[in-house]
Amino acid sequence: MSQTAEYTITRHFAAPRHRVWDAWTDPERFSRWFGPRGMATPLGRITLDAVPGGVWRATLVGEEGFEVTLDGRYREVRAPGRLVFTTGDPDAPGDGPASVVTVDLAATGDRTEMRFHQYGVNTAPEHAEQAKAGWVEFFDRLAEHVEHVEHVEQVEQVERVPQG
């Protein structure tokens, strides 16, 4: 198989860029959103060595012991605006699908625009559509996480203000 597929997803988050970056690169925050609803990504099953050449790995755990591990390597890491990483090994994919993902984060005031681009090899169009739909669901969870974190931090700041 040598089919290729690619797509771009653009999302806007009501959160500052550094918070979205942290959600991509901090294992504790990553565990809160990465994966489809109904599956968990336990903190102890995540590796995010966010440096060029570093490994990322996340095991998603579902009902009745179902597990799937996704992994790859970081190719480019420029905090807080750009991540490029692989899924699988696109340079030597064998028979399985593999891809290169680029995540660009742009600050727009106190909000963030995220442009997510995935280019897959050994990827049939149907697989690409399923992957895209999966990422859209992941990003719904990402929005809930970064926007909830924003609210929690604002509440904590208000609670620390001395009452006069």
Side-chain angles (χ1 to χ4, degrees), residues 20-128:
V20 179
W21 174 265
D22 289 348
W24 275 100
T25 59
D26 176 79
E28 194 276 327
R29 291 183 183 227
F30 191 81
S31 72
R32 294 184 191 179
W33 69 270
F34 188 81
R37 295 187 196 284
M39 293 188 82
T41 310
L43 183 57
R45 308 286 300 271
I46 296 172
T47 300
L48 300 178
D49 185 17
V51 297
V55 171
W56 77 272
R57 179 175 295 111
T59 299
L60 289 74
V61 179
E63 294 179 11
E64 301 175 14
F66 174 79
E67 291 188 4
V68 62
T69 298
L70 304 173
D71 64 2
R73 292 200 171 271
Y74 291 99
R75 290 188 169 180
E76 187 178 340
V77 179
R78 283 192 282 148
R82 184 174 174 90
L83 280 175
V84 179
F85 60 90
T86 64
T87 63
D89 184 355
D91 296 325
D95 293 331
S99 69
V100 176
V101 172
T102 302
V103 178
D104 286 307
L105 303 174
T108 55
D110 59 352
R111 299 176 60 87
T112 303
E113 178 183 277
M114 180 183 76
R115 185 175 177 272
F116 175 95
H117 180 262
Q118 187 165 26
Y119 174 83
V121 295
N122 289 347
T123 305
E126 309 79 47
H127 178 82

Side-chain angles (χ1 to χ4, degrees), residues 5-11 99 101 114 116-118 123-140:
E6 67 182 304
Y7 54 87
T8 300
I9 301 168
T10 301
R11 290 291 295 259
S99 69
V101 172
M114 180 183 76
F116 175 95
H117 180 262
Q118 187 165 26
T123 305
E126 309 79 47
H127 178 82
E129 283 304 312
Q130 291 172 348
K132 183 177 180 180
W135 282 113
V136 167
E137 183 176 354
F138 289 19
F139 298 156
D140 289 346

